Amino acid sequence: MVRKESLAALLDEGRRKIQVTDEELAEAKRRRRLLAASARRAFPGSTTYFNGSVAHGDANTPLTDVDLGVVLASKAAAPYGPGRTSALPLMEIVRDAIRDDLNGEFPKLTIEVIGRRRAVLVRFGDPVTPGQSDFTADVMTAIPHPSGRGLYIPNTKIAAGWDRADPITHTRMVLQAIDDTDVVFARAVRLLKHWNGTHSKPMCSWNIKALCLDCLDCLDEPMPLINALQIFFTYAADEIGKGPTPDPAGVAGPIPLNMPRVEVHKRLCTARKNIDLAIAHEKAGRPLLAQHALHQVLLELVPDADCTAEEADRLARTIRSGGASTSGLGLVSGLAAQTRPRAWGD
């Protein structure tokens, strides 16, 4: 007998498959604490902050990296910034402190500064997730912005040497959204990052979260994950169609895409179409067609379904009712021959 599952069950199973384990998370946070302690030792009076997927509560397995920053005290930061000294001396100082503090526990530790755009890259030489090649950390050396809003963070690829950003506010906004949506925000982001990773990575993870902050954190009550995905793809396709995503904190510039905007828009529209199909098929009592449509969005996470019989029945009912055989809810292409359709549009 063919197993038929609801979209809610499929998504719940899927997000559990990719959710980071407690063991991975605990070890990643321990190493992050070690790095933060080294950074504060390197710069007396400084503060540290955490950002990225571990800090945002949306990390997937395998867990391969962690992000954090150190903010110099105002007096220590005075010689640095646009038009003054670059971040390179700060990056070298924190590199040396981390090496002194962690080399004993991690004998394969390597730390890169030269060629790094924004952060010191720490390679532990020891993975957090079994089977992975390594675990890394980006350690940012930042200084307060004179306005009091946000920070100056390194950018070694531009003449000024620094960019304005506000990663601390970003993390606060994400954590608030998780609380406001009863964790739906984090679970949706996990699934969306999987979609992104299996469709040529058209967007960075922060762009996904920034769009989610606009469309998921303004609802009155928690929602099913399938509806959260539908809202995201509808909103994201419309917004990316208009232009780049602005910084939610209103400090940094627009968030860049990983490929031409027309290509990103195409992938978002295709995902929106398949999510709409999945919901409509489920409402019409066609769970296998619904699963097949959802599979197109979450490749490798939601298994495909052989829904030939359901499609034949749908077509027969359409013909008997006098409608065109392709009217209404069209089937995702390729079912009759059981060929795999393209995952992201024509």
Side-chain angles (χ1 to χ4, degrees), residues 201-253:
K201 293 187 177 180
M203 311 166 72
C204 69
S205 295
W206 176 238
N207 203 337
I208 290 171
K209 285 185 260 196
L211 290 165
C212 283
L213 285 171
D214 283 340
C215 66
L216 297 184
D217 192 27
C218 56
L219 303 169
D220 294 332
E221 58 186 27
M223 74 192 81
L225 273 175
I226 188 63
N227 297 110
L229 296 183
Q230 184 182 44
I231 289 170
F232 171 83
F233 284 118
T234 299
Y235 180 79
D238 290 345
E239 290 301 304
I240 294 298
K242 299 173 187 175
T245 307
D247 172 29
V251 167

Side-chain angles (χ1 to χ4, degrees), residues 121-316:
L121 175 63
V122 179
R123 299 184 186 275
F124 284 89
D126 181 15
V128 161
T129 305
Q132 295 300 301
S133 60
D134 202 354
F135 183 77
T136 67
D138 281 335
V139 182
M140 188 94 67
T141 51
I143 59 176
H145 191 270
S147 69
R149 292 187 61 222
L151 307 169
Y152 273 133
I153 63 173
N155 185 347
T156 62
K157 305 300 183 183
I158 63 173
W162 300 84
D163 277 331
R164 193 177 176 190
D166 198 348
I168 297 173
T169 295
H170 291 167
T171 297
R172 183 167 63 247
M173 293 173 76
V174 168
L175 295 179
Q176 186 63 55
I178 292 172
D179 186 60
D180 291 345
T181 61
D182 196 21
V183 196
V184 170
F185 185 97
R187 292 175 177 176
V189 167
R190 283 195 175 99
L191 294 171
L192 291 166
K193 290 198 295 186
H194 178 85
W195 163 79
N196 191 56
T198 55
H199 291 78
S200 306
K201 293 187 177 180
M203 311 166 72
C204 69
S205 295
W206 176 238
N207 203 337
I208 290 171
K209 285 185 260 196
L211 290 165
C212 283
L213 285 171
D214 283 340
C215 66
L216 297 184
D217 192 27
C218 56
L219 303 169
D220 294 332
E221 58 186 27
M223 74 192 81
L225 273 175
I226 188 63
N227 297 110
L229 296 183
Q230 184 182 44
I231 289 170
F232 171 83
F233 284 118
T234 299
Y235 180 79
D238 290 345
E239 290 301 304
I240 294 298
K242 299 173 187 175
T245 307
D247 172 29
V251 167
I255 304 171
L257 298 169
N258 293 338
M259 58 178 60
R261 188 160 58 90
V262 65
E263 294 297 327
V264 180
H265 184 253
K266 183 186 296 184
R267 285 160 172 76
L268 290 166
C269 288
T270 300
R272 175 179 62 188
K273 169 188 169 185
N274 283 313
I275 291 292
D276 288 347
L277 267 176
I279 292 172
H281 280 311
E282 182 169 70
K283 286 182 178 178
R286 295 185 287 267
L288 295 179
L289 279 167
Q291 180 173 338
H292 178 75
L294 185 59
H295 167 76
Q296 312 311 309
V297 181
L298 298 175
L299 300 171
E300 303 173 9
L301 196 58
V302 172
D304 203 356
D306 183 352
C307 41
T308 307
E310 276 190 4
E311 172 61 1
D313 180 68
R314 185 186 75 82
L315 292 174

